[in-house]
Amino acid sequence: MTNNMFFIANWKMFGDIRSVNSTKKVIKFSKNKKYKRAQIIYCPPYTLLEKFSKITKKSKIKIGAQNCHYSQRPGPFTGSISANLIKSIGANYVIIGHSENRSFESDLIINKKIISALKENLKVIFCIGETYKEKKNNITFRVLKRQISTALKNIKKINNIIFAYEPRWAIGTGKLPNLAELNKNINYINNLISETKKKQTYKIIYGGSVNSENVSELLKIKDLKGFLIGSASLKSKNFIDIIKKSIN
Ligand code: PEP
């Protein structure tokens, strides 16, 4: 199991009811024994979760939501979706703290969301990463430390958390950190988590402009267990190419 690689498709606010069918190619591909180490997770918009859940039912592909509300109880939160509702639709994962939402939510709210999701037995894809300004000001470590330590407050078990390192400036921009920088930051995250949550298993993945052209380079990073992929996951062919290049 520890040998598995995660390929998480974040569809953001793209896709509609017809595009669900385009994933049939990926479903077929996921049954190829050669790529059995690939754990594929689709995170479509909320309105497509049920359809995705049905269409992938007979495969090993899992489904995740892109966010959730922090409340563990139903309540007057217009427009929000709880972890409980996400679970009830057949999803197993939820993305929390994505950089495109971080300007609307604090580290403490993110912490509450993670607690709520874990209580519902959802696995959490927890996003962390610095802005370009923070990188330029040389405070990346400080930012990562704050994001991780606040988000993990009062959380004892982290085996159901996937840590997605996504430099905010690399998302949707076509820019990538260089390998030395990426190695340094992933190492830092790894040390930080293992110091505080001793002996527990957890996974670190990378996200930010991953595509089939650059994935081979990213695979040189030790300890990476997969990728969170935005735009390159929208077309089945591109998504499959990334997986093929990652697993041989
Ligand atoms: C993302 O949405 O998490 C992401 C990494 O997007 P992109 O691959 O498009 O940069």
Side-chain angles (χ1 to χ4, degrees):
M1 275 305 263
T2 47
N3 217 6
N4 279 359
M5 287 277 285
F6 287 79
F7 299 90
I8 306 175
N10 176 18
W11 272 23
K12 311 184 191 232
M13 205 172 70
F14 293 103
D16 58 24
I17 203 77
R18 285 159 306 177
S19 45
V20 179
N21 284 328
S22 74
T23 60
K24 282 184 179 156
K25 272 191 204 137
V26 180
I27 295 172
K28 191 167 168 227
F29 170 79
S30 74
K31 295 179 178 161
N32 184 334
K33 291 229 164 63
K34 185 167 172 210
Y35 300 104
K36 65 171 192 281
R37 282 177 53 220
Q39 176 59 71
I40 299 169
I41 301 161
Y42 267 105
C43 301
Y46 289 129
T47 50
L48 300 180
L49 281 173
E50 190 173 10
K51 193 96 182 145
F52 262 86
S53 172
K54 282 190 180 138
I55 202 169
T56 56
K57 213 177 180 99
K58 290 195 178 129
S59 74
K60 63 184 184 89
I61 294 179
K62 303 284 184 211
I63 304 302
Q66 297 173 15
N67 201 351
C68 68
H69 195 272
Y70 63 79
S71 178
Q72 289 173 37
R73 293 167 172 272
F77 302 110
T78 304
S80 299
I81 308 279
S82 65
N84 175 273
L85 289 173
I86 291 165
K87 183 78 189 181
S88 71
I89 211 86
N92 314 86
Y93 287 81
V94 59
I95 297 174
I96 295 179
H98 191 277
S99 103
E100 283 152 15
N101 296 323
R102 270 197 181 262
S103 14
F104 319 116
E105 59 191 12
S106 64
D107 291 312
L108 265 177
I109 291 291
I110 290 171
N111 168 248
K112 283 185 171 189
K113 288 184 176 191
I114 297 178
I115 292 174
S116 184
L118 292 176
K119 279 233 162 89
E120 288 299 331
N121 284 323
L122 283 173
K123 294 193 165 89
V124 172
I125 301 148
F126 167 45
C127 303
I128 46 176
E130 77 287 0
T131 63
Y132 189 68
K133 193 169 168 210
E134 289 162 343
K135 165 182 150 68
K136 279 289 149 206
N137 288 339
N138 280 322
I139 57 167
T140 298
F141 283 1
R142 204 198 304 166
V143 170
L144 293 173
K145 187 172 188 174
R146 191 204 69 228
Q147 290 174 341
I148 293 172
S149 57
T150 315
L152 294 186
K153 255 181 153 182
N154 301 321
I155 296 175
K156 291 206 175 76
K157 285 175 78 181
I158 57 164
N159 54 318
N160 282 334
I161 301 179
I162 296 175
F163 294 82
Y165 174 54
E166 298 207 296
R168 292 173 68 175
W169 51 271
I171 295 180
T173 59
K175 292 182 184 144
L176 285 188
N178 66 45
L179 280 192
E181 186 183 0
L182 197 48
N183 244 327
K184 195 174 77 178
N185 293 345
I186 299 275
N187 241 331
Y188 179 76
I189 294 166
N190 211 352
N191 289 338
L192 195 66
I193 304 169
S194 51
E195 262 168 31
T196 46
K197 306 285 172 188
K198 290 186 177 69
K199 289 191 185 154
Q200 293 199 52
T201 54
Y202 57 88
K203 296 150 205 92
I204 301 177
I205 63 173
Y206 169 80
S209 297
V210 177
N211 59 38
S212 57
E213 304 293 306
N214 59 29
V215 71
S216 308
E217 193 65 8
L218 291 165
L219 285 162
K220 292 181 184 158
I221 305 290
K222 211 177 113 238
D223 293 331
L224 271 194
K225 293 279 185 262
F227 302 101
L228 180 51
I229 306 153
S231 58
S233 70
L234 291 170
K235 288 216 166 79
S236 297
K237 183 186 176 313
N238 296 346
F239 193 37
I240 289 172
D241 280 349
I242 293 175
I243 302 172
K244 279 185 172 166
K245 286 203 174 164
S246 305
I247 293 188
N248 40 46

